Amino acid sequence: MTEREIDGAPTRAAVILPWEREEVSDSRRSAEARLAEAMGLTASIGLVIVHSAIMPLRRRRPSALLGEGQVEMVLADLKAHEVGLVVMDTALSPVQQRNLEKAWGCKVIDRTGLILDIFGERARTKEGALQVELAHLDYQRSRLVRSWTHLERQRGGFGFLGGPGETQIEADRRMIAVRMARLKREIEEVRRTRGLHREARRRTPYPIIALIGYTNAGKSTLFNALTGASVQAEDQLFATLDPTMRHIALPSGRPAILSDTVGFISELPTELVAAFRATLEEVAEADVILHVRDIAHPDTAAQKADVLGVLNAMVRDGNLDADWPKRTIDVLNKADLLGGTASVPGQVEGGAAVPISALSGEGLDVLRQVIDDRLASAKEIASFEIPSSDGAKLAWLYRHGEVLAREDQEEAIRVTVRLLPEDRARFESQG
């Protein structure tokens, strides 16, 4: 990625983590780990990081978040490193953001603004782009600093200076409201179209396998390894943002659809939880959910807790069934960094947790079989006698089920097949 520039020179950035003193547990990251993640996010959009710091907080100050002494301390570091932009790895109120910019004499963006910027650069599908724009505008409404013609980017974009009068701000807010209403209508239309596609898949029907996990856990690498596709897969946070779907063949010969999704992250802005409902809907529809984890990461337990937190919130909102854990397989990825799959801790018999290396391919055959077995366990075994002349019914069973046995008789064909309950009902209703 090219470096961000101000006046032709690469943007020199500082990353500041305000840290409230709390006991660190397995489900909560250390300050160092959180700062490292923030730096990874910042570097992923081409900023040159020249300074980083952890600022302990006794309490959150309404005016500038940090205490006066801390603000002065940071200012000295920013001047020494000639910093042009500061990333505050927390959510800032508009007042706090404005006061810090005045105190430090440079642009300041918070965690929400940073992630919105990343999503804005990388969303590729129509709905992804619409949802990101909607999230930008929602975030922007309370942070207007220039006229409408300068709202193509969030406030943290490069080149924002000064501000308009109150009348112009109110006019801009009305224009934003009109644009947001139009975006919502367009998004609903895209969702209806996607809903039709999903209904068509149900009629096919191929089982859906959804990949979920913390960002940079290796989902896209696994997707490519299982499907032979070439989805962008980089050692980078949020390398993939839009849902991608491909057919795969399982060991039994059963076809399935594999869906790659956006990675989760701690403290994901609420605007973007809604913005990527497309991805979350695919998870809700999935027959099997593969929770891909970077088992070699020191914060793998905390990352898992973040993913589970989002999914459990979906359950509370009615967007995901409470039984989703029964459809979930933990995929313990990056085993190659630990010495191979045999060295991975936390393996569970019966396929509830499968160690793999998506990069080397180790463990993928086991994972395919576990997926196959999980799908098979949801199906029923039934036997049917079909007239030898009725090739259409026989072909339907081959398309929609797994034929386990077949006996060709003089006037009929006896078939034993494994089917989903709904497919069995559909077949039997044909008479």
Side-chain angles (χ1 to χ4, degrees):
M1 181 179 295
T2 59
E3 293 176 339
R4 292 292 183 85
E5 296 183 350
I6 294 180
D7 296 330
T11 304
R12 297 168 65 84
V15 180
I16 307 297
L17 171 64
W19 187 252
E20 296 179 272
R21 298 181 184 276
E22 295 179 9
E23 183 179 353
V24 177
S25 65
D26 287 343
S27 61
R28 191 175 189 274
R29 290 166 182 76
S30 66
E32 292 74 15
R34 177 62 183 264
L35 179 62
E37 180 179 276
M39 293 174 67
L41 288 169
T42 302
S44 72
I45 58 171
L47 296 171
V48 178
I49 301 171
V50 295
H51 176 66
S52 63
I54 299 170
M55 305 301 293
L57 292 181
R58 292 190 181 91
R59 64 183 179 88
R60 290 177 170 262
R61 309 293 178 98
S63 60
L65 183 67
L66 304 177
E68 290 183 10
Q70 291 176 318
V71 171
E72 292 297 324
M73 185 187 308
V74 172
L75 175 60
D77 290 330
L78 299 182
K79 288 182 176 178
H81 293 91
E82 299 179 350
V83 169
L85 181 142
V86 176
V87 175
M88 294 287 287
D89 189 34
T90 189
L92 295 175
S93 70
V95 170
Q96 290 169 339
Q97 184 175 355
R98 184 165 57 249
N99 288 341
L100 288 175
E101 287 185 335
K102 289 180 179 179
W104 292 338
C106 66
K107 286 171 285 296
V108 175
I109 61 174
D110 64 1
R111 183 178 178 85
T112 300
L114 176 63
I115 294 175
L116 282 169
D117 201 6
I118 295 171
F119 276 52
E121 283 194 350
R122 298 186 190 160
R124 294 292 178 266
T125 64
K126 182 177 181 180
E127 182 178 9
L130 292 173
Q131 289 282 20
V132 168
E133 183 181 355
L134 181 62
H136 266 288
L137 294 175
D138 188 30
Y139 177 74
Q140 186 82 317
R141 277 189 296 187
S142 63
R143 300 167 192 263
L144 292 176
V145 293
R146 295 197 71 176
S147 63
W148 171 251
T149 56
H150 294 271
L151 288 178
E152 289 83 6
R153 298 185 58 84
Q154 69 188 65
R155 188 175 195 278
F158 306 99
F160 286 105
L161 298 170
E166 183 67 22
T167 302
Q168 183 64 57
I169 289 177
E170 291 304 318
D172 289 347
R173 284 178 179 157
R174 286 194 297 272
M175 295 181 73
I176 286 178
V178 171
R179 176 60 179 159
M180 289 179 69
R182 189 195 311 170
L183 286 171
K184 289 175 181 178
R185 290 194 296 270
E186 292 183 37
I187 289 167
E188 285 305 315
E189 183 61 34
V190 173
R191 283 177 178 166
R192 281 194 292 271
T193 301
R194 195 178 62 253
L196 294 174
H197 293 164
R198 213 165 32 241
E199 287 297 328
R201 287 201 301 270
R202 288 196 191 104
R203 290 193 297 269
T204 306
Y206 292 152
I208 298 174
I209 303 160
L211 298 174
I212 64 169
Y214 205 79
T215 185
N216 210 31
K219 297 183 302 302
S220 295
T221 302
L222 177 59
F223 182 89
N224 292 340
L226 291 175
T227 65
S230 55
V231 171
Q232 181 182 3
E234 298 181 7
D235 184 18
Q236 184 184 83
L237 299 174
F238 293 123
T240 304
L241 286 179
D242 295 304
T244 306
M245 310 189 83
R246 295 286 188 279
H247 282 84
I248 64 170
L250 297 170
S252 65
R254 178 190 296 111
I257 296 173
L258 186 66
S259 174
D260 189 15
T261 64
V262 63
F264 293 87
I265 195 166
S266 63
E267 298 184 27
L268 183 69
T270 54
E271 298 95 335
L272 286 175
V273 172
F276 282 82
R277 201 172 85 181
T279 294
L280 303 184
E281 284 178 359
E282 296 299 343
V283 173
E285 295 288 332
D287 299 280
V288 173
I289 301 170
L290 301 183
H291 180 186
V292 183
R293 297 174 53 193
D294 179 354
I295 198 62
H297 197 285
D299 287 321
T300 184
Q303 293 178 353
K304 178 180 179 179
D306 286 327
V307 173
L308 298 186
V310 173
L311 295 177
N312 288 329
M314 289 175 61
V315 174
R316 291 192 295 272
D317 294 339
N319 295 322
L320 183 65
D321 62 284
D323 289 337
W324 68 265
K326 295 180 181 178
R327 297 183 280 125
T328 302
I329 300 168
D330 270 10
V331 181
L332 311 180
N333 193 26
K334 304 192 181 182
D336 51 296
L337 300 179
L338 299 178
T341 57
S343 303
V344 174
Q347 301 180 39
V348 179
E349 292 185 7
V354 182
I356 67 157
S357 169
L359 191 62
S360 71
E362 185 182 8
L364 292 187
D365 288 343
V366 175
L367 177 61
R368 289 188 183 96
Q369 189 60 57
V370 169
I371 296 170
D372 216 353
D373 294 343
R374 184 66 63 90
L375 289 171
S377 68
K379 295 188 175 185
E380 301 174 348
I381 296 178
S383 295
F384 303 100
E385 280 197 4
I386 302 171
S388 299
S389 59
D390 197 343
K393 281 189 175 181
L394 184 63
W396 194 96
L397 288 176
Y398 271 96
R399 285 198 310 271
H400 294 81
E402 180 185 354
V403 176
L404 304 176
R406 170 176 171 169
E407 182 182 351
D408 290 270
Q409 301 170 346
E410 187 172 337
E411 295 184 356
I413 301 173
R414 185 171 181 80
V415 179
T416 302
V417 62
R418 184 183 283 122
L419 289 165
L420 288 169
E422 54 266 32
D423 285 333
R424 178 178 181 175
R426 287 168 59 197
F427 182 78
E428 291 176 343
S429 68
Q430 296 175 16

